[in-house]
Amino acid sequence: LDRAYRLYQERCDAVFDAPTLYVLRGVLSEKRDQLDWARPFFSSHPMTGWNPDQSRPYLEHVKECLARLGDLTPDGLVRSMELAASPVTEPAGPFPNVRSNDPRLILRPTIPNELKGNPVHGTLREIVYHDATEWQVIDPMCEIFHGMPNMPFDFFVDFSRHIWDECRHSRMGLRRLVEIGFDPFRDFEWCGGTERSASLAEYFLGLTLVGEACSFTRKKGSIPFFLKNGDTRSAMLPEVDCVDEQLHVSFGHKWAAKIFETAYGQVAPKDEMTRDARAKILQGVLNNPNDHGAAKEYLMSLDEDSRNDLVNSFSGFCGAIEFKLDLTVR
């Protein structure tokens, strides 16, 4: 790609193709950075160490495809050429059943709702902590990415973006906690498990169409208070987060039904699946002996009919399970 972009750049007209050249300069710089990173990485992490039976045939397959295309040069590219079928029939693996975590993390079954495990609990700065907790989403999303091999190509494009977003959200939250003066490994406890997700389809639906969809009021509501306190740096976190989460919710609408069909071989209405996801989340809160938060206390006070009403109401459900923060307290 780097070679092809450079050749294309050389053949562009400086005036007619100025917009293209403008884009190519950034792309070429990015490709150089990727190559500079990849060479030492693959020299110390050879692909053959992962799956020696598949890596060699796949490399030969890539070379054959490039040969059929006449390389990636402008003159040689033949768009109508039919490429050979990939020799890889199964995803690389095996996928680990137990996740690895940073040993410095202090893990617990639920998000801490006391100052001992979360010194910013109940305050405006808990918004920053919530961003840092998004590292928990990365493993399950990678498990979905690996566990749904029969999805269309743009599914994997969308999921790559979603996983990248969660990595960035976690990094920006952890970075801001350090800037404020905390040590994330010493001062905080984190909700996270080591077991692989039992149900990939339900996890994705609950994440996008329930958890992320319910988070906008809290996150957007924090921005004016951060700005009022002169903390523009922290205000940028929910600004960035909300833009990405809107995209993630759209991914939920786009892929939830298809994931269920692929995972279970059945077609279900999206609204019905969303209600089922709300019901399971609500039941999970009620049945969790380690959860002593305000949401559980509120749900315990309701009768069965009132809980069913919440499951059938997007705004009612979000209001019941959302984090209750005093956004005026730093």
Side-chain angles (χ1 to χ4, degrees):
L1 280 174
D2 182 66
R3 245 187 347 261
Y5 284 140
R6 288 177 184 281
L7 180 57
Y8 191 93
Q9 184 184 43
E10 291 170 7
R11 298 187 182 185
C12 283
D13 182 277
V15 178
F16 299 149
D17 299 315
T20 301
L21 289 168
Y22 178 82
V23 173
L24 277 176
R25 278 192 290 272
V27 172
L28 280 166
S29 175
E30 182 182 3
K31 293 302 169 196
R32 280 194 293 271
D33 289 345
Q34 290 174 352
L35 289 168
D36 290 343
W37 169 84
R39 287 192 180 101
F41 177 84
F42 283 113
S43 66
S44 56
H45 299 81
M47 290 180 66
T48 51
W50 290 93
N51 199 327
D53 295 331
Q54 288 189 1
S55 60
R56 177 55 56 184
Y58 185 71
L59 182 59
E60 295 303 320
H61 165 67
V62 172
K63 290 179 179 178
E64 182 183 352
C65 288
L66 288 174
R68 290 193 184 197
L69 288 169
D71 208 352
L72 294 176
T73 60
D75 290 339
L77 185 60
V78 181
R79 298 186 185 278
S80 60
M81 178 65 69
E82 184 177 343
L83 298 178
S86 171
V88 179
T89 57
E90 297 292 334
F95 201 83
N97 288 319
V98 178
R99 303 167 187 161
S100 60
N101 285 310
D102 191 313
R104 294 173 295 172
L105 289 169
I106 305 172
L107 297 179
R108 56 181 292 165
T110 59
I111 289 180
N113 54 14
E114 69 282 337
L115 293 177
K116 176 183 177 296
N118 177 8
V120 295
H121 173 63
T123 72
L124 179 59
R125 281 178 170 166
E126 190 163 2
I127 295 291
V128 177
Y129 171 72
H130 289 166
D131 269 313
T133 65
E134 294 194 17
W135 62 266
Q136 305 161 46
V137 180
I138 298 167
D139 276 315
M141 289 296 290
C142 288
E143 290 163 5
I144 296 171
F145 189 96
H146 179 274
M148 298 286 171
N150 298 318
M151 297 293 282
F153 179 72
D154 55 336
F155 163 85
F156 298 102
V157 174
D158 289 345
F159 263 59
S160 296
R161 170 59 195 261
H162 194 153
I163 293 166
W164 185 47
D165 289 345
E166 303 298 357
C167 293
R168 290 186 297 107
H169 296 172
S170 178
R171 288 183 64 188
M172 69 187 187
L174 290 166
R175 180 182 67 181
R176 187 64 188 137
L177 288 177
V178 172
E179 291 171 346
I180 292 171
F182 292 106
D183 181 335
F185 300 104
R186 179 196 64 207
D187 300 326
F188 291 88
E189 296 178 5
W190 306 87
C191 172
T194 59
E195 297 300 315
R196 182 177 178 180
S197 295
S199 176
L200 304 180
E202 280 87 349
Y203 180 87
F204 175 67
L205 184 68
L207 172 68
T208 56
L209 297 185
V210 181
E212 291 179 313
C214 284
S215 70
F216 291 109
T217 302
R218 162 177 42 99
K219 291 175 179 176
K220 293 183 79 70
S222 71
I223 296 171
F225 291 101
F226 277 125
L227 295 176
K228 184 178 179 181
N229 286 320
D231 191 353
T232 55
R233 179 80 161 167
S234 295
M236 285 300 298
L237 273 68
E239 285 273 21
V240 171
D241 199 338
C242 285
V243 171
D244 292 336
E245 303 273 312
Q246 287 176 322
L247 183 63
H248 301 169
V249 173
S250 75
F251 290 161
H253 287 288
K254 181 178 178 181
W255 293 115
K258 182 66 176 176
I259 288 177
F260 264 77
E261 183 181 354
T262 300
Y264 304 119
Q266 62 185 39
V267 178
K270 186 172 55 184
D271 291 344
E272 179 184 317
M273 291 189 298
T274 306
R275 284 194 296 271
D276 287 345
R278 290 182 199 141
K280 288 178 181 177
I281 291 173
L282 185 149
Q283 206 58 46
V285 173
L286 290 172
N287 294 338
N288 190 340
N290 299 303
D291 191 335
H292 307 290
K296 181 173 182 178
E297 184 179 340
Y298 171 67
L299 292 173
M300 291 287 288
S301 70
L302 301 178
D303 58 32
E304 195 64 31
D305 288 339
S306 298
R307 292 173 190 166
N308 289 333
D309 289 340
L310 285 180
V311 168
N312 290 304
S313 167
F314 171 75
S315 58
F317 181 84
C318 291
I321 68 164
E322 254 296 80
F323 299 97
K324 302 298 189 294
L325 305 179
D326 184 349
L327 297 177
T328 65
V329 179
R330 295 188 67 192

